[in-house]
């Protein structure tokens, strides 16, 4: 069953159909890429750090992460977040929810993401992205009640904005890397009062830095437009367009990341300004890479949707509970790698950090499959749902069950 489109706003009225595989599959796979992108920071080999003196396996890991993970997994997550926001609004409008109530729900979601993200950043990873998504929801959510033209105009404005701000930010990062090394962006510890004060003081800086130094708002708005078009709801219908997005998006993003990757492993030795511009190119083309990854997983789901195997179902189960497992993956990676905790990050370097992230995701995959087999939601996802909707969802489901079992009135 295809979605209906409201001509006045371009919003999609979602069909009453089983949950779609493509968005959940993409989110579940994306959580692995996010964990891998985070893990290198704990090993002192974050984006832009010089690894030319590291062992061969770690230089290969840096090449891989720069070409395929850094600023590619995060854009995919941001686009999927915007897609989910558009889906939520379309569902509410289909049920007759007023614009004022929709705005209230969007504000609640944004504020709760800020809260969840603040706890996550304070306890685990200061560079986390939930706070940034909460900020994006509060700043751009109003576009979901406007026309498609308004969304496209906003995307154009944000594109111009980030073409200016991203290179400046990346030049600053390149200067910091060159003058201070990995210590310039070292993670705070856990052992002293100063560590915890630093974590607390740094909370508002993360989302602002990501919102202005990385193309966050643009990515979320692109997700709004993709959600309006229901591109991931029925990927078979959009196969041709999704194929172009996957091939061009991933191809351009990989090629554009080559200068930054070669600089990181010592094949090229640019000055600080040039290196910052290479990094800026890598970040900006991550928009295309994130879109390409989302399109690729949507295309993949066309075949898997016919006969999903245990692995596919488990990955989709994780995607359905993405908030819970995003934070669980981050917590596992932090505990294993952080120098003040188990401290494996001091010895494994880049390649080992990728392995730790993969193992953490695998543990989460088993837990997600277990929750799915018992038809249980992710605890944090359920907490978010209750925070946004209150008791309305439970009451509505109870009313639907009651109506389904009530004898027909003659």
């Amino acid at each position: 069953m295809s979605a209906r489109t409201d001509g006045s706003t371009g919003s999609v009225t979602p069909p009453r159909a089983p949950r779609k595989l493509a968005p959940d599959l993409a989110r579940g796979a994306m959580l692995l890429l996010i964990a891998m992108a985070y893990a290198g920071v704990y090993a002192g080999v974050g984006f832009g750090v010089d690894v030319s003196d590291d062992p061969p396996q770690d230089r290969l890991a840096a090449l891989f992460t720069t070409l395929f993970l850094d600023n590619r997994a995060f854009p995919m997550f941001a686009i999927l977040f915007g897609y989910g926001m558009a889906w939520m609004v379309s569902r509410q409008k289909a049920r007759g929810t007023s614009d004022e109530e929709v705005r209230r729900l969007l504000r609640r979601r944004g504020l709760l993401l800020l809260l969840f993200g603040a706890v996550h950043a304070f306890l685990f990873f200061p560079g986390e992205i939930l706070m940034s998504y909460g900020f994006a929801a509060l700043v751009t959510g109003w576009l979901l009640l406007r026309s498609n033209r308004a969304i496209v105009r906003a995307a154009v404005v944000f594109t111009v904005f980030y073409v200016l701000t991203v290179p400046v930010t990346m030049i600053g990062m390149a200067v910091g890397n060159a003058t201070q090394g990995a210590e310039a962006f070292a993670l705070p510890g856990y052992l002293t009062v100063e560590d915890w004060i630093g974590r607390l003081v740094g909370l508002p800086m993360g989302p602002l830095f990501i919102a202005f130094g990385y193309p966050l708002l643009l990515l979320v708005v692109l997700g709004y437009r993709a959600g309006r078009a229901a591109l991931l709801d029925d990927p078979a219908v959009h196969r041709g367009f999704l194929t172009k997005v996957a091939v061009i998006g991933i191809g351009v993003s990989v090629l554009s990341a080559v200068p930054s990757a070669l600089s990181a492993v010592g094949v090229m030795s640019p000055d600080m300004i040039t290196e910052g511009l290479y990094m800026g190119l890598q970040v900006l083309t991550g928009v295309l890479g994130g879109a390409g990854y989302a399109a690729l997983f949507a295309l993949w789901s066309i075949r898997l949707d016919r006969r999903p195997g245990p692995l596919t179902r488990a990955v989709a189960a994780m995607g359905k509970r993405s908030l819970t497992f995003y934070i669980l993956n981050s917590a596992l990676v932090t505990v294993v790698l952080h120098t003040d905790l188990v401290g494996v990050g001091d010895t494994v370097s880049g390649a080992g950090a990728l392995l730790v992230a993969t193992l953490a995701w695998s543990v989460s995959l088993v837990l997600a499959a277990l929750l799915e087999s018992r038809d249980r939601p992710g605890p944090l996802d359920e907490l978010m749902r209750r925070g946004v909707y209150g008791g309305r969802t439970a009451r509505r489901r109870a009313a639907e069950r009651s109506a389904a079992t009530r004898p027909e009135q003659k």
Side-chain angles (χ1 to χ4, degrees):
M1 183 182 297
S2 61
R4 300 192 307 274
T5 303
D6 180 355
S8 61
T9 64
S11 64
V12 175
T13 301
R16 294 186 180 278
R19 191 175 178 108
K20 303 297 182 180
L21 176 64
D24 289 334
L25 184 66
R27 290 187 189 98
M30 167 273 304
L31 289 175
L32 171 61
L33 305 185
I34 287 284
M36 294 172 79
Y38 280 2
V41 179
Y42 293 96
V45 289
F47 175 59
V49 173
D50 183 2
V51 296
S52 56
D53 294 329
D54 289 4
Q57 68 270 20
D58 295 321
R59 294 201 298 274
L60 285 174
L63 276 173
F64 174 75
T65 55
T66 305
L67 293 174
F68 299 105
L69 297 182
D70 288 334
N71 309 307
R72 271 91 185 115
F74 153 67
M76 180 182 170
F77 202 179
I79 290 171
L80 292 173
F81 170 73
Y83 193 98
M85 291 276 287
W87 182 88
M88 181 188 81
V89 170
S90 68
R91 297 289 289 183
Q92 291 300 317
K93 298 297 289 181
R95 292 174 183 144
T97 306
S98 67
D99 285 359
E100 183 178 352
E101 176 66 8
V102 171
R103 290 190 187 95
R104 187 182 70 83
L105 294 175
L106 290 171
R107 285 195 300 271
R108 275 192 171 190
R109 188 172 183 83
L111 291 171
L112 284 168
L113 282 169
L114 284 174
L115 177 60
F116 276 76
V119 174
H120 176 221
F122 184 66
L123 295 178
F124 300 113
F125 188 59
E128 72 91 41
I129 51 182
L130 293 180
M131 291 181 72
S132 302
Y133 292 165
F135 177 79
L138 295 173
V139 171
T140 67
W142 59 274
L143 288 167
L144 290 168
L145 297 172
R146 299 296 181 88
S147 66
N148 286 337
R149 180 175 295 181
I151 293 176
V152 172
R153 286 176 177 171
V156 172
V157 170
F158 285 133
T159 299
V160 174
F161 175 76
Y162 286 118
V163 166
L164 299 175
T165 63
V166 168
V168 173
T169 303
M170 292 303 113
I171 289 172
M173 287 185 62
V175 171
N177 284 334
T179 57
Q180 301 178 52
E183 292 77 14
F185 305 101
L187 295 170
Y190 287 94
L191 302 181
T192 68
V193 173
E194 288 76 11
D195 288 335
W196 290 101
I197 292 175
R199 287 177 175 272
L200 184 63
V201 171
L203 284 180
M205 303 306 297
L208 292 176
F209 176 75
I210 292 174
F212 291 95
Y214 292 83
L216 169 72
L217 300 178
L218 170 61
L219 291 161
V220 172
V221 169
L222 291 176
Y224 292 165
R225 187 64 189 90
R228 284 276 182 87
L231 290 178
L232 304 184
D233 283 25
D234 197 350
V237 172
H238 305 284
R239 187 195 298 263
F241 177 72
L242 290 172
T243 300
K244 291 178 182 178
V245 172
V247 172
I248 296 174
I250 296 174
V252 171
S253 76
V254 171
L255 289 175
S256 300
V258 169
S260 186
L262 295 180
S263 297
V265 298
V267 175
M268 298 171 59
S269 300
D271 58 66
M272 290 183 292
I273 302 299
T274 304
E275 183 177 357
L277 292 175
Y278 287 161
M279 292 168 64
L281 178 63
Q282 198 268 5
V283 171
L284 287 171
T285 56
V287 174
L288 299 175
Y293 283 168
L296 182 63
F297 282 110
L299 292 168
W300 189 24
S301 74
I302 296 174
R303 175 176 297 181
L304 296 177
D305 203 13
R306 300 175 191 143
R307 296 180 63 183
L311 179 59
T312 299
R313 290 195 295 270
V315 174
M318 186 185 291
K320 287 169 63 175
R321 301 160 178 85
S322 57
L323 177 59
T324 296
F325 287 106
Y326 165 72
I327 292 181
L328 177 60
N329 289 341
S330 177
L332 291 173
V333 169
T334 299
V335 169
V336 174
L337 292 178
H338 197 288
T339 185
D340 286 348
L341 302 176
V342 176
V344 173
D346 289 341
T347 58
V348 298
S349 196
L354 294 180
L355 178 60
V356 169
T358 303
L359 293 174
W361 180 83
S362 300
V363 171
S364 292
L365 193 66
V366 174
L367 295 176
L370 181 62
L371 287 174
E372 182 71 10
S373 69
R374 298 183 178 183
D375 196 25
R376 299 290 298 274
L380 297 182
D381 299 87
E382 181 65 15
L383 187 59
M384 170 66 78
R385 191 175 297 112
R386 289 180 179 274
V388 173
Y389 299 105
R392 293 192 321 149
T393 302
R395 289 195 297 270
R396 177 177 57 79
R397 289 176 179 171
E400 289 175 352
R401 287 194 297 268
S402 177
T405 57
R406 187 183 304 128
E408 267 190 38
Q409 300 295 324
K410 299 293 184 182

